[in-house]
Amino acid sequence: TRPAQTAAADDVETAPTTTQATPGPDASREQPQPAPTATPLPTLAPDSAVQLVGPPQGSLFREDSAVVFYWNWPSELPDAYQFLLIINGAESNLELPAGNEPNLGLGYRLTLPIGALPAGEYMWSVRVISEPGGEVLRESDARPLTIVSVSSG
C-alpha cells in the first residue's frame, strides 16, 4: 500500500484576506482641499494700443443729438477684457462699459444717448480693463469734445 499523501503548506490555496480600517474619530471631517489657483489672464501684445477713430478732435455736438464713438484695437480682445469709454468734464464724468464685441472687423463703437451729457467741454478716451477687478491695462490718448446747448424759444 502506498502511504497517504499530505498536502504541503505551499500547495494549499487560500483566499486573500482583506482588512477594513474602522473609521476613527476624525473620519467625519473633510480632508483639506488645495487652495484654488487663479487662472492667469491672457497677455496683451506689448505694442497693442487703442486707436481712436471718431469723433475727430474738437468735435461739436448739440445736447439733443446722440454721439457715436469709434475706435480700433489691433486684434480680437480676449473675453477676460473689455473696453470702457471714459468721458471727463468739469461738471460730469462718465465711465461706460463698451464690452469686447467688434462692430466691424477690429473696429468698435458705442453710442452715447441723447441728453447723456449737459453742455460743456469734455475729454474722451477708451480703456482696456480686466473684467474681474477692472485693472486698467491700456488707455488711448484723450480727445476733446464739446456739447453745446440748444436754445429753446
Side-chain angles (χ1 to χ4, degrees):
T1 69
R2 295 173 102 189
Q5 290 188 348
T6 59
D10 292 341
D11 294 339
V12 176
E13 286 188 32
T14 57
T17 58
T18 59
T19 57
Q20 289 185 335
T22 54
D26 293 337
S28 63
R29 292 188 197 161
E30 289 188 28
Q31 295 298 317
Q33 298 295 319
T37 56
T39 303
L41 294 174
T43 57
L44 299 175
D47 59 346
S48 58
V50 177
Q51 297 174 335
L52 301 181
V53 176
Q57 292 255 46
S59 294
L60 296 172
F61 292 90
R62 294 169 39 123
E63 63 186 348
D64 64 349
S65 63
V67 181
V68 182
F69 297 90
Y70 295 93
W71 65 93
N72 290 330
W73 179 252
S75 62
E76 186 175 318
L77 192 64
D79 288 339
Y81 304 112
Q82 72 170 336
F83 293 106
L84 188 66
L85 176 66
I86 306 296
I87 304 173
N88 291 318
E91 301 293 322
S92 296
N93 295 314
L94 290 176
E95 292 187 359
L96 302 168
N100 62 5
E101 293 297 319
N103 175 48
L104 180 62
L106 297 174
Y108 299 82
R109 81 169 192 193
L110 181 73
T111 302
L112 187 66
I114 295 170
L117 292 172
E121 300 282 327
Y122 297 91
M123 296 296 287
W124 71 279
S125 63
V126 175
R127 293 178 181 165
V128 174
I129 63 169
S130 61
E131 289 237 51
E135 178 186 356
V136 177
L137 303 167
R138 301 283 190 282
E139 185 167 5
S140 70
D141 292 334
R143 280 193 183 169
L145 168 74
T146 302
I147 306 292
V148 294
S149 65
V150 178
S151 49
S152 57

